[in-house]
């Protein structure tokens, strides 16, 4: 079966996010002062062939550990959906 | 009130995603052949001060239009949650 796995990767809470800070300043500069904080991460969508949703999640977790995520600086959040 | 607005930005469906393709090949090269497609986008989390969730969404949409999203190449998906 085919699964669509979404991996949301964000910088750790305590860590400085210079990209987000730059965007935050940019938004304030054009008058969007209601925005108080910006943090920027990645969203990676994998199409995975697996026997079950659990297996698809395991494959995604392995991908995260080996390639996608830098655990020192980022946290990943994985969600699995079955594809029609 | 304070709202946390998540903006998920992905490359348009039909468009080539070279970054995703590179990661896809990398995953296959280390033996993760169950992964058939990879697309990479951005996840941007805004903290917005607004009177209502609708207002927070409007501010996020304006931010997307003016700064965050390149509508020619990307689609954005916005979700709003109230912060405690």
């Amino acid at each position: 079966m085919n699964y669509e796995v979404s991996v949301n990767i964000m910088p750790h809470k305590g860590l400085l996010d210079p990209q987000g800070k730059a965007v935050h300043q940019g938004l304030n500069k054009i008058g969007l002062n209601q925005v108080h904080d910006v943090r920027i991460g990645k969203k990676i969508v994998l199409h995975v062939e697996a026997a079950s949703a659990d297996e698809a999640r395991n494959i995604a977790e392995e991908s995260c550990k080996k390639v996608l995520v830098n655990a020192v600086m980022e946290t990943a959040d994985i969600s699995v959906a079955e594809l029609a």
Side-chain angles (χ1 to χ4, degrees), chain A:
Chain A
M1 270 187 299
N2 287 302
Y3 294 90
E4 183 173 288
V5 184
S6 294
V7 183
N8 289 316
I9 301 168
M10 296 300 289
H12 280 314
K13 282 242 166 83
L15 264 171
L16 196 69
D17 173 12
Q19 201 187 357
K21 207 173 170 188
V23 169
H24 180 201
Q25 287 171 353
L27 289 173
N28 287 359
K29 208 165 274 177
I30 61 167
L32 287 160
N33 299 307
Q34 307 95 325
V35 178
H36 290 309
D37 189 35
V38 178
R39 288 185 84 74
I40 298 185
K42 281 170 284 186
K43 181 184 169 85
I44 302 180
V45 178
L46 308 170
H47 285 191
V48 178
E49 195 180 325
S52 68
D54 280 348
E55 194 189 317
R57 179 179 291 272
N58 287 341
I59 291 164
E61 278 172 0
E62 203 182 328
S63 306
C64 284
K65 211 158 44 175
K66 288 187 175 165
V67 179
L68 304 176
V69 179
N70 174 0
V72 177
M73 301 181 64
E74 298 165 328
T75 40
D77 165 58
I78 296 172
S79 63
V80 181
E82 204 179 315
L83 277 178

